[in-house]
mmCIF file of all heavy atoms in Angstrom:
data_model
loop_
_atom_site.group_PDB
_atom_site.id
_atom_site.type_symbol
_atom_site.label_atom_id
_atom_site.label_comp_id
_atom_site.label_asym_id
_atom_site.label_seq_id
_atom_site.Cartn_x
_atom_site.Cartn_y
_atom_site.Cartn_z
ATOM 1 N N LYS A 1 12.960 4.697 -6.517
ATOM 2 C CA LYS A 1 13.561 5.901 -7.114
ATOM 3 C C LYS A 1 13.550 7.058 -6.108
ATOM 4 O O LYS A 1 14.534 7.815 -5.996
ATOM 5 C CB LYS A 1 12.807 6.283 -8.388
ATOM 6 C CG LYS A 1 13.078 5.349 -9.568
ATOM 7 C CD LYS A 1 12.363 5.824 -10.809
ATOM 8 C CE LYS A 1 12.675 4.947 -12.013
ATOM 9 N NZ LYS A 1 14.100 5.053 -12.408
ATOM 10 N N GLU A 2 12.455 7.168 -5.353
ATOM 11 C CA GLU A 2 12.373 8.209 -4.331
ATOM 12 C C GLU A 2 13.399 7.989 -3.230
ATOM 13 O O GLU A 2 13.849 8.950 -2.583
ATOM 14 C CB GLU A 2 10.969 8.233 -3.726
ATOM 15 C CG GLU A 2 9.886 8.694 -4.684
ATOM 16 C CD GLU A 2 8.494 8.481 -4.124
ATOM 17 O OE1 GLU A 2 8.396 7.985 -2.963
ATOM 18 O OE2 GLU A 2 7.514 8.790 -4.812
ATOM 19 N N GLN A 3 13.778 6.718 -3.010
ATOM 20 C CA GLN A 3 14.765 6.380 -1.984
ATOM 21 C C GLN A 3 16.199 6.477 -2.488
ATOM 22 O O GLN A 3 17.133 6.147 -1.761
ATOM 23 C CB GLN A 3 14.502 4.970 -1.462
ATOM 24 C CG GLN A 3 13.147 4.796 -0.781
ATOM 25 C CD GLN A 3 12.993 5.666 0.450
ATOM 26 O OE1 GLN A 3 13.862 5.678 1.318
ATOM 27 N NE2 GLN A 3 11.894 6.415 0.520
ATOM 28 N N GLY A 4 16.353 6.920 -3.730
ATOM 29 C CA GLY A 4 17.694 7.121 -4.273
ATOM 30 C C GLY A 4 18.249 5.966 -5.076
ATOM 31 O O GLY A 4 19.434 5.977 -5.439
ATOM 32 N N PHE A 5 17.420 4.955 -5.386
ATOM 33 C CA PHE A 5 17.882 3.826 -6.207
ATOM 34 C C PHE A 5 17.715 4.193 -7.687
ATOM 35 O O PHE A 5 16.762 3.792 -8.349
ATOM 36 C CB PHE A 5 17.095 2.559 -5.880
ATOM 37 C CG PHE A 5 17.415 1.959 -4.531
ATOM 38 C CD1 PHE A 5 16.692 2.343 -3.405
ATOM 39 C CD2 PHE A 5 18.448 1.042 -4.388
ATOM 40 C CE1 PHE A 5 16.982 1.800 -2.161
ATOM 41 C CE2 PHE A 5 18.745 0.495 -3.142
ATOM 42 C CZ PHE A 5 18.009 0.877 -2.022
ATOM 43 N N ASP A 6 18.659 4.946 -8.196
ATOM 44 C CA ASP A 6 18.576 5.405 -9.589
ATOM 45 C C ASP A 6 18.885 4.290 -10.586
ATOM 46 O O ASP A 6 18.692 4.470 -11.796
ATOM 47 C CB ASP A 6 19.555 6.562 -9.811
ATOM 48 C CG ASP A 6 19.212 7.767 -8.941
ATOM 49 O OD1 ASP A 6 18.013 7.992 -8.701
ATOM 50 O OD2 ASP A 6 20.157 8.461 -8.499
ATOM 51 N N ASP A 7 19.380 3.144 -10.078
ATOM 52 C CA ASP A 7 19.772 2.057 -10.981
ATOM 53 C C ASP A 7 18.583 1.217 -11.441
ATOM 54 O O ASP A 7 18.702 0.441 -12.390
ATOM 55 C CB ASP A 7 20.784 1.133 -10.293
ATOM 56 C CG ASP A 7 20.226 0.511 -9.013
ATOM 57 O OD1 ASP A 7 19.461 1.191 -8.308
ATOM 58 O OD2 ASP A 7 20.573 -0.648 -8.719
ATOM 59 N N ILE A 8 17.423 1.361 -10.798
ATOM 60 C CA ILE A 8 16.292 0.504 -11.131
ATOM 61 C C ILE A 8 15.410 1.157 -12.184
ATOM 62 O O ILE A 8 15.100 2.341 -12.112
ATOM 63 C CB ILE A 8 15.460 0.162 -9.861
ATOM 64 C CG1 ILE A 8 14.444 -0.938 -10.161
ATOM 65 C CG2 ILE A 8 14.785 1.401 -9.297
ATOM 66 C CD1 ILE A 8 15.054 -2.281 -10.409
ATOM 67 N N GLU A 9 15.032 0.376 -13.185
ATOM 68 C CA GLU A 9 14.124 0.836 -14.233
ATOM 69 C C GLU A 9 12.976 -0.140 -14.341
ATOM 70 O O GLU A 9 13.112 -1.330 -14.027
ATOM 71 C CB GLU A 9 14.853 0.941 -15.581
ATOM 72 C CG GLU A 9 15.968 1.980 -15.619
ATOM 73 C CD GLU A 9 15.460 3.412 -15.467
ATOM 74 O OE1 GLU A 9 14.270 3.646 -15.790
ATOM 75 O OE2 GLU A 9 16.238 4.276 -15.026
ATOM 76 N N TRP A 10 11.821 0.359 -14.804
ATOM 77 C CA TRP A 10 10.660 -0.503 -14.963
ATOM 78 C C TRP A 10 11.005 -1.638 -15.925
ATOM 79 O O TRP A 10 11.581 -1.417 -16.988
ATOM 80 C CB TRP A 10 9.467 0.277 -15.510
ATOM 81 C CG TRP A 10 8.155 -0.439 -15.319
ATOM 82 C CD1 TRP A 10 7.273 -0.252 -14.317
ATOM 83 C CD2 TRP A 10 7.612 -1.477 -16.151
ATOM 84 N NE1 TRP A 10 6.203 -1.100 -14.438
ATOM 85 C CE2 TRP A 10 6.376 -1.870 -15.569
ATOM 86 C CE3 TRP A 10 8.031 -2.116 -17.308
ATOM 87 C CZ2 TRP A 10 5.568 -2.857 -16.108
ATOM 88 C CZ3 TRP A 10 7.234 -3.108 -17.847
ATOM 89 C CH2 TRP A 10 6.016 -3.474 -17.268
ATOM 90 N N GLY A 11 10.649 -2.845 -15.556
ATOM 91 C CA GLY A 11 10.931 -4.009 -16.382
ATOM 92 C C GLY A 11 12.108 -4.831 -15.894
ATOM 93 O O GLY A 11 12.353 -5.929 -16.384
ATOM 94 N N GLU A 12 12.830 -4.306 -14.888
ATOM 95 C CA GLU A 12 13.960 -5.027 -14.316
ATOM 96 C C GLU A 12 13.531 -5.716 -13.019
ATOM 97 O O GLU A 12 12.660 -5.217 -12.301
ATOM 98 C CB GLU A 12 15.122 -4.076 -14.033
ATOM 99 C CG GLU A 12 15.679 -3.405 -15.270
ATOM 100 C CD GLU A 12 16.762 -2.389 -14.934
ATOM 101 O OE1 GLU A 12 16.934 -2.090 -13.734
ATOM 102 O OE2 GLU A 12 17.417 -1.899 -15.865
ATOM 103 N N ASP A 13 14.165 -6.832 -12.727
ATOM 104 C CA ASP A 13 13.870 -7.528 -11.479
ATOM 105 C C ASP A 13 14.578 -6.819 -10.331
ATOM 106 O O ASP A 13 15.601 -6.141 -10.532
ATOM 107 C CB ASP A 13 14.320 -8.992 -11.564
ATOM 108 C CG ASP A 13 13.526 -9.889 -10.624
ATOM 109 O OD1 ASP A 13 12.699 -9.362 -9.849
ATOM 110 O OD2 ASP A 13 13.727 -11.115 -10.669
ATOM 111 N N PHE A 14 14.055 -6.993 -9.137
ATOM 112 C CA PHE A 14 14.656 -6.367 -7.966
ATOM 113 C C PHE A 14 15.793 -7.218 -7.425
ATOM 114 O O PHE A 14 15.727 -8.449 -7.417
ATOM 115 C CB PHE A 14 13.606 -6.165 -6.868
ATOM 116 C CG PHE A 14 12.485 -5.242 -7.248
ATOM 117 C CD1 PHE A 14 11.176 -5.551 -6.910
ATOM 118 C CD2 PHE A 14 12.745 -4.068 -7.934
ATOM 119 C CE1 PHE A 14 10.139 -4.698 -7.250
ATOM 120 C CE2 PHE A 14 11.715 -3.204 -8.287
ATOM 121 C CZ PHE A 14 10.408 -3.521 -7.948
ATOM 122 N N GLY A 15 16.826 -6.554 -6.949
ATOM 123 C CA GLY A 15 17.918 -7.232 -6.273
ATOM 124 C C GLY A 15 17.737 -7.149 -4.770
ATOM 125 O O GLY A 15 16.778 -6.552 -4.262
ATOM 126 N N ALA A 16 18.684 -7.741 -4.052
ATOM 127 C CA ALA A 16 18.589 -7.781 -2.589
ATOM 128 C C ALA A 16 18.468 -6.390 -1.961
ATOM 129 O O ALA A 16 17.637 -6.188 -1.068
ATOM 130 C CB ALA A 16 19.783 -8.535 -2.019
ATOM 131 N N PRO A 17 19.258 -5.386 -2.388
ATOM 132 C CA PRO A 17 19.123 -4.057 -1.767
ATOM 133 C C PRO A 17 17.740 -3.446 -1.981
ATOM 134 O O PRO A 17 17.217 -2.769 -1.087
ATOM 135 C CB PRO A 17 20.207 -3.230 -2.460
ATOM 136 C CG PRO A 17 21.197 -4.228 -2.971
ATOM 137 C CD PRO A 17 20.379 -5.421 -3.353
ATOM 138 N N HIS A 18 17.158 -3.695 -3.160
ATOM 139 C CA HIS A 18 15.827 -3.146 -3.442
ATOM 140 C C HIS A 18 14.777 -3.791 -2.538
ATOM 141 O O HIS A 18 13.935 -3.100 -1.947
ATOM 142 C CB HIS A 18 15.468 -3.375 -4.913
ATOM 143 C CG HIS A 18 16.490 -2.883 -5.883
ATOM 144 N ND1 HIS A 18 17.129 -3.708 -6.787
ATOM 145 C CD2 HIS A 18 17.010 -1.648 -6.080
ATOM 146 C CE1 HIS A 18 17.975 -2.999 -7.511
ATOM 147 N NE2 HIS A 18 17.924 -1.752 -7.098
ATOM 148 N N GLU A 19 14.826 -5.123 -2.448
ATOM 149 C CA GLU A 19 13.857 -5.832 -1.605
ATOM 150 C C GLU A 19 13.990 -5.412 -0.144
ATOM 151 O O GLU A 19 12.986 -5.232 0.555
ATOM 152 C CB GLU A 19 14.057 -7.344 -1.739
ATOM 153 C CG GLU A 19 13.699 -7.893 -3.109
ATOM 154 C CD GLU A 19 13.958 -9.385 -3.228
ATOM 155 O OE1 GLU A 19 14.686 -9.938 -2.377
ATOM 156 O OE2 GLU A 19 13.435 -9.988 -4.181
ATOM 157 N N THR A 20 15.223 -5.243 0.309
ATOM 158 C CA THR A 20 15.454 -4.866 1.700
ATOM 159 C C THR A 20 14.893 -3.479 1.994
ATOM 160 O O THR A 20 14.271 -3.260 3.049
ATOM 161 C CB THR A 20 16.958 -4.912 2.024
ATOM 162 O OG1 THR A 20 17.432 -6.249 1.839
ATOM 163 C CG2 THR A 20 17.224 -4.468 3.456
ATOM 164 N N ALA A 21 15.085 -2.549 1.064
ATOM 165 C CA ALA A 21 14.571 -1.186 1.259
ATOM 166 C C ALA A 21 13.053 -1.177 1.372
ATOM 167 O O ALA A 21 12.477 -0.474 2.214
ATOM 168 C CB ALA A 21 15.030 -0.292 0.110
ATOM 169 N N ILE A 22 12.393 -1.975 0.525
ATOM 170 C CA ILE A 22 10.932 -2.042 0.559
ATOM 171 C C ILE A 22 10.462 -2.672 1.871
ATOM 172 O O ILE A 22 9.554 -2.166 2.536
ATOM 173 C CB ILE A 22 10.409 -2.835 -0.651
ATOM 174 C CG1 ILE A 22 10.715 -2.082 -1.945
ATOM 175 C CG2 ILE A 22 8.908 -3.084 -0.531
ATOM 176 C CD1 ILE A 22 10.508 -2.898 -3.207
ATOM 177 N N ALA A 23 11.082 -3.793 2.251
ATOM 178 C CA ALA A 23 10.687 -4.484 3.485
ATOM 179 C C ALA A 23 10.928 -3.616 4.712
ATOM 180 O O ALA A 23 10.109 -3.590 5.645
ATOM 181 C CB ALA A 23 11.432 -5.802 3.607
ATOM 182 N N ASN A 24 12.044 -2.899 4.739
ATOM 183 C CA ASN A 24 12.357 -2.044 5.886
ATOM 184 C C ASN A 24 11.343 -0.918 6.048
ATOM 185 O O ASN A 24 11.074 -0.457 7.156
ATOM 186 C CB ASN A 24 13.765 -1.465 5.759
ATOM 187 C CG ASN A 24 14.852 -2.492 6.013
ATOM 188 O OD1 ASN A 24 14.582 -3.565 6.544
ATOM 189 N ND2 ASN A 24 16.075 -2.183 5.631
ATOM 190 N N HIS A 25 10.783 -0.480 4.932
ATOM 191 C CA HIS A 25 9.788 0.590 4.984
ATOM 192 C C HIS A 25 8.537 0.126 5.728
ATOM 193 O O HIS A 25 7.933 0.892 6.488
ATOM 194 C CB HIS A 25 9.424 1.033 3.558
ATOM 195 C CG HIS A 25 8.345 2.063 3.495
ATOM 196 N ND1 HIS A 25 8.559 3.370 3.890
ATOM 197 C CD2 HIS A 25 7.044 1.988 3.101
ATOM 198 C CE1 HIS A 25 7.433 4.056 3.730
ATOM 199 N NE2 HIS A 25 6.497 3.244 3.259
ATOM 200 N N TYR A 26 8.161 -1.127 5.525
ATOM 201 C CA TYR A 26 6.953 -1.650 6.169
ATOM 202 C C TYR A 26 7.246 -2.323 7.506
ATOM 203 O O TYR A 26 6.367 -2.438 8.356
ATOM 204 C CB TYR A 26 6.253 -2.650 5.237
ATOM 205 C CG TYR A 26 5.660 -2.001 4.017
ATOM 206 C CD1 TYR A 26 6.367 -1.942 2.825
ATOM 207 C CD2 TYR A 26 4.389 -1.429 4.063
ATOM 208 C CE1 TYR A 26 5.826 -1.344 1.692
ATOM 209 C CE2 TYR A 26 3.843 -0.828 2.941
ATOM 210 C CZ TYR A 26 4.566 -0.780 1.754
ATOM 211 O OH TYR A 26 4.028 -0.184 0.660
ATOM 212 N N ASP A 27 8.474 -2.823 7.661
ATOM 213 C CA ASP A 27 8.884 -3.513 8.882
ATOM 214 C C ASP A 27 8.033 -4.756 9.153
ATOM 215 O O ASP A 27 7.878 -5.174 10.300
ATOM 216 C CB ASP A 27 8.825 -2.563 10.075
ATOM 217 C CG ASP A 27 9.821 -2.951 11.173
ATOM 218 O OD1 ASP A 27 10.829 -3.599 10.841
ATOM 219 O OD2 ASP A 27 9.591 -2.591 12.338
ATOM 220 N N LEU A 28 7.461 -5.315 8.103
ATOM 221 C CA LEU A 28 6.631 -6.509 8.155
ATOM 222 C C LEU A 28 6.839 -7.268 6.850
ATOM 223 O O LEU A 28 7.356 -6.718 5.878
ATOM 224 C CB LEU A 28 5.145 -6.138 8.291
ATOM 225 C CG LEU A 28 4.627 -5.640 9.633
ATOM 226 C CD1 LEU A 28 3.229 -5.057 9.459
ATOM 227 C CD2 LEU A 28 4.614 -6.767 10.658
ATOM 228 N N PRO A 29 6.444 -8.535 6.782
ATOM 229 C CA PRO A 29 6.435 -9.198 5.472
ATOM 230 C C PRO A 29 5.524 -8.410 4.530
ATOM 231 O O PRO A 29 4.427 -8.001 4.909
ATOM 232 C CB PRO A 29 5.855 -10.583 5.779
ATOM 233 C CG PRO A 29 6.095 -10.786 7.243
ATOM 234 C CD PRO A 29 5.975 -9.425 7.856
ATOM 235 N N VAL A 30 5.990 -8.196 3.302
ATOM 236 C CA VAL A 30 5.232 -7.369 2.360
ATOM 237 C C VAL A 30 5.145 -8.071 1.010
ATOM 238 O O VAL A 30 6.132 -8.625 0.520
ATOM 239 C CB VAL A 30 5.874 -5.965 2.212
ATOM 240 C CG1 VAL A 30 7.351 -6.055 1.849
ATOM 241 C CG2 VAL A 30 5.127 -5.129 1.177
ATOM 242 N N PHE A 31 3.961 -8.060 0.415
ATOM 243 C CA PHE A 31 3.766 -8.598 -0.927
ATOM 244 C C PHE A 31 4.102 -7.527 -1.967
ATOM 245 O O PHE A 31 3.575 -6.408 -1.895
ATOM 246 C CB PHE A 31 2.313 -9.020 -1.143
ATOM 247 C CG PHE A 31 1.905 -10.285 -0.445
ATOM 248 C CD1 PHE A 31 0.980 -10.254 0.583
ATOM 249 C CD2 PHE A 31 2.434 -11.510 -0.838
ATOM 250 C CE1 PHE A 31 0.581 -11.419 1.218
ATOM 251 C CE2 PHE A 31 2.049 -12.689 -0.209
ATOM 252 C CZ PHE A 31 1.120 -12.643 0.819
ATOM 253 N N ILE A 32 4.952 -7.880 -2.920
ATOM 254 C CA ILE A 32 5.146 -7.059 -4.117
ATOM 255 C C ILE A 32 4.401 -7.772 -5.235
ATOM 256 O O ILE A 32 4.720 -8.914 -5.570
ATOM 257 C CB ILE A 32 6.636 -6.896 -4.470
ATOM 258 C CG1 ILE A 32 7.416 -6.316 -3.293
ATOM 259 C CG2 ILE A 32 6.787 -5.990 -5.704
ATOM 260 C CD1 ILE A 32 8.909 -6.203 -3.530
ATOM 261 N N THR A 33 3.389 -7.112 -5.796
ATOM 262 C CA THR A 33 2.477 -7.763 -6.734
ATOM 263 C C THR A 33 2.663 -7.268 -8.160
ATOM 264 O O THR A 33 3.217 -6.192 -8.402
ATOM 265 C CB THR A 33 1.016 -7.532 -6.318
ATOM 266 O OG1 THR A 33 0.713 -6.133 -6.452
ATOM 267 C CG2 THR A 33 0.761 -7.955 -4.878
ATOM 268 N N ASN A 34 2.165 -8.079 -9.105
ATOM 269 C CA ASN A 34 2.020 -7.688 -10.515
ATOM 270 C C ASN A 34 3.337 -7.259 -11.171
ATOM 271 O O ASN A 34 3.497 -6.126 -11.627
ATOM 272 C CB ASN A 34 0.977 -6.585 -10.659
ATOM 273 C CG ASN A 34 -0.381 -6.983 -10.098
ATOM 274 O OD1 ASN A 34 -0.646 -8.161 -9.867
ATOM 275 N ND2 ASN A 34 -1.241 -6.011 -9.859
ATOM 276 N N TYR A 35 4.265 -8.200 -11.223
ATOM 277 C CA TYR A 35 5.542 -7.963 -11.897
ATOM 278 C C TYR A 35 5.346 -7.951 -13.415
ATOM 279 O O TYR A 35 4.368 -8.503 -13.935
ATOM 280 C CB TYR A 35 6.535 -9.066 -11.540
ATOM 281 C CG TYR A 35 7.182 -8.928 -10.187
ATOM 282 C CD1 TYR A 35 6.498 -9.253 -9.023
ATOM 283 C CD2 TYR A 35 8.500 -8.505 -10.070
ATOM 284 C CE1 TYR A 35 7.089 -9.151 -7.775
ATOM 285 C CE2 TYR A 35 9.118 -8.404 -8.827
ATOM 286 C CZ TYR A 35 8.407 -8.729 -7.686
ATOM 287 O OH TYR A 35 9.009 -8.623 -6.448
ATOM 288 N N PRO A 36 6.320 -7.359 -14.140
ATOM 289 C CA PRO A 36 6.250 -7.384 -15.606
ATOM 290 C C PRO A 36 6.255 -8.813 -16.153
ATOM 291 O O PRO A 36 6.967 -9.678 -15.627
ATOM 292 C CB PRO A 36 7.519 -6.632 -16.034
ATOM 293 C CG PRO A 36 7.844 -5.750 -14.873
ATOM 294 C CD PRO A 36 7.438 -6.529 -13.661
ATOM 295 N N THR A 37 5.484 -9.026 -17.191
ATOM 296 C CA THR A 37 5.356 -10.355 -17.794
ATOM 297 C C THR A 37 6.709 -10.909 -18.219
ATOM 298 O O THR A 37 6.988 -12.097 -18.029
ATOM 299 C CB THR A 37 4.420 -10.279 -19.017
ATOM 300 O OG1 THR A 37 3.175 -9.718 -18.609
ATOM 301 C CG2 THR A 37 4.201 -11.642 -19.625
ATOM 302 N N LYS A 38 7.555 -10.058 -18.768
ATOM 303 C CA LYS A 38 8.793 -10.536 -19.391
ATOM 304 C C LYS A 38 9.837 -11.052 -18.400
ATOM 305 O O LYS A 38 10.783 -11.739 -18.796
ATOM 306 C CB LYS A 38 9.413 -9.439 -20.252
ATOM 307 C CG LYS A 38 9.952 -8.248 -19.488
ATOM 308 C CD LYS A 38 10.587 -7.244 -20.433
ATOM 309 C CE LYS A 38 11.230 -6.083 -19.686
ATOM 310 N NZ LYS A 38 11.870 -5.120 -20.608
ATOM 311 N N ILE A 39 9.671 -10.751 -17.103
ATOM 312 C CA ILE A 39 10.671 -11.235 -16.135
ATOM 313 C C ILE A 39 10.110 -12.342 -15.254
ATOM 314 O O ILE A 39 10.731 -12.729 -14.265
ATOM 315 C CB ILE A 39 11.220 -10.085 -15.254
ATOM 316 C CG1 ILE A 39 10.101 -9.432 -14.427
ATOM 317 C CG2 ILE A 39 11.955 -9.065 -16.096
ATOM 318 C CD1 ILE A 39 10.613 -8.421 -13.409
ATOM 319 N N LYS A 40 8.918 -12.861 -15.621
ATOM 320 C CA LYS A 40 8.320 -13.936 -14.848
ATOM 321 C C LYS A 40 8.103 -15.158 -15.742
ATOM 322 O O LYS A 40 8.096 -15.063 -16.969
ATOM 323 C CB LYS A 40 6.997 -13.472 -14.228
ATOM 324 C CG LYS A 40 7.185 -12.525 -13.038
ATOM 325 C CD LYS A 40 7.927 -13.219 -11.893
ATOM 326 C CE LYS A 40 8.104 -12.335 -10.686
ATOM 327 N NZ LYS A 40 8.819 -13.015 -9.583
ATOM 328 N N PRO A 41 7.901 -16.347 -15.135
ATOM 329 C CA PRO A 41 7.748 -17.577 -15.911
ATOM 330 C C PRO A 41 6.515 -17.558 -16.817
ATOM 331 O O PRO A 41 5.591 -16.763 -16.644
ATOM 332 C CB PRO A 41 7.633 -18.654 -14.837
ATOM 333 C CG PRO A 41 8.318 -18.080 -13.645
ATOM 334 C CD PRO A 41 8.018 -16.622 -13.682
ATOM 335 N N PHE A 42 6.500 -18.495 -17.755
ATOM 336 C CA PHE A 42 5.510 -18.528 -18.827
ATOM 337 C C PHE A 42 4.094 -18.810 -18.370
ATOM 338 O O PHE A 42 3.132 -18.487 -19.062
ATOM 339 C CB PHE A 42 5.915 -19.583 -19.869
ATOM 340 C CG PHE A 42 5.732 -21.008 -19.394
ATOM 341 C CD1 PHE A 42 4.572 -21.709 -19.687
ATOM 342 C CD2 PHE A 42 6.723 -21.654 -18.654
ATOM 343 C CE1 PHE A 42 4.397 -23.016 -19.263
ATOM 344 C CE2 PHE A 42 6.551 -22.966 -18.222
ATOM 345 C CZ PHE A 42 5.384 -23.640 -18.529
ATOM 346 N N TYR A 43 3.916 -19.415 -17.203
ATOM 347 C CA TYR A 43 2.611 -19.953 -16.815
ATOM 348 C C TYR A 43 1.737 -18.958 -16.053
ATOM 349 O O TYR A 43 0.638 -19.300 -15.633
ATOM 350 C CB TYR A 43 2.793 -21.203 -15.954
ATOM 351 C CG TYR A 43 3.768 -21.011 -14.806
ATOM 352 C CD1 TYR A 43 3.417 -20.268 -13.684
ATOM 353 C CD2 TYR A 43 5.053 -21.551 -14.856
ATOM 354 C CE1 TYR A 43 4.299 -20.067 -12.652
ATOM 355 C CE2 TYR A 43 5.951 -21.363 -13.826
ATOM 356 C CZ TYR A 43 5.573 -20.616 -12.718
ATOM 357 O OH TYR A 43 6.461 -20.410 -11.702
ATOM 358 N N MET A 44 2.189 -17.735 -15.850
ATOM 359 C CA MET A 44 1.456 -16.805 -14.997
ATOM 360 C C MET A 44 0.334 -16.095 -15.751
ATOM 361 O O MET A 44 0.504 -15.643 -16.880
ATOM 362 C CB MET A 44 2.415 -15.793 -14.381
ATOM 363 C CG MET A 44 3.386 -16.407 -13.395
ATOM 364 S SD MET A 44 4.345 -15.174 -12.487
ATOM 365 C CE MET A 44 5.275 -16.249 -11.366
ATOM 366 N N GLN A 45 -0.810 -15.971 -15.096
ATOM 367 C CA GLN A 45 -2.000 -15.360 -15.677
ATOM 368 C C GLN A 45 -1.790 -13.857 -15.898
ATOM 369 O O GLN A 45 -1.315 -13.150 -15.013
ATOM 370 C CB GLN A 45 -3.197 -15.576 -14.740
ATOM 371 C CG GLN A 45 -4.498 -14.978 -15.204
ATOM 372 C CD GLN A 45 -5.146 -15.787 -16.326
ATOM 373 O OE1 GLN A 45 -4.691 -16.881 -16.642
ATOM 374 N NE2 GLN A 45 -6.174 -15.237 -16.919
ATOM 375 N N PRO A 46 -2.129 -13.335 -17.096
ATOM 376 C CA PRO A 46 -2.002 -11.898 -17.346
ATOM 377 C C PRO A 46 -2.882 -11.080 -16.403
ATOM 378 O O PRO A 46 -3.958 -11.519 -15.992
ATOM 379 C CB PRO A 46 -2.463 -11.749 -18.795
ATOM 380 C CG PRO A 46 -2.300 -13.109 -19.395
ATOM 381 C CD PRO A 46 -2.564 -14.077 -18.287
ATOM 382 N N ASN A 47 -2.416 -9.897 -16.079
ATOM 383 C CA ASN A 47 -3.178 -8.962 -15.258
ATOM 384 C C ASN A 47 -4.207 -8.259 -16.142
ATOM 385 O O ASN A 47 -3.829 -7.549 -17.088
ATOM 386 C CB ASN A 47 -2.223 -7.943 -14.634
ATOM 387 C CG ASN A 47 -2.927 -6.911 -13.785
ATOM 388 O OD1 ASN A 47 -4.133 -6.985 -13.555
ATOM 389 N ND2 ASN A 47 -2.170 -5.923 -13.327
ATOM 390 N N PRO A 48 -5.498 -8.435 -15.907
ATOM 391 C CA PRO A 48 -6.509 -7.818 -16.773
ATOM 392 C C PRO A 48 -6.459 -6.295 -16.769
ATOM 393 O O PRO A 48 -6.949 -5.652 -17.700
ATOM 394 C CB PRO A 48 -7.836 -8.334 -16.191
ATOM 395 C CG PRO A 48 -7.528 -8.711 -14.782
ATOM 396 C CD PRO A 48 -6.110 -9.190 -14.799
#
């Protein structure tokens, strides 16, 4: 949102432009952690 991506809302999955913006900021492989439960498969452990 700070980078001007007004189209993204919490609970939505990231698209290619979003992932690229995040990766470019770090200029390294970067982990994006703890996605919303509703956009991930059924078998993932809840975040305590």
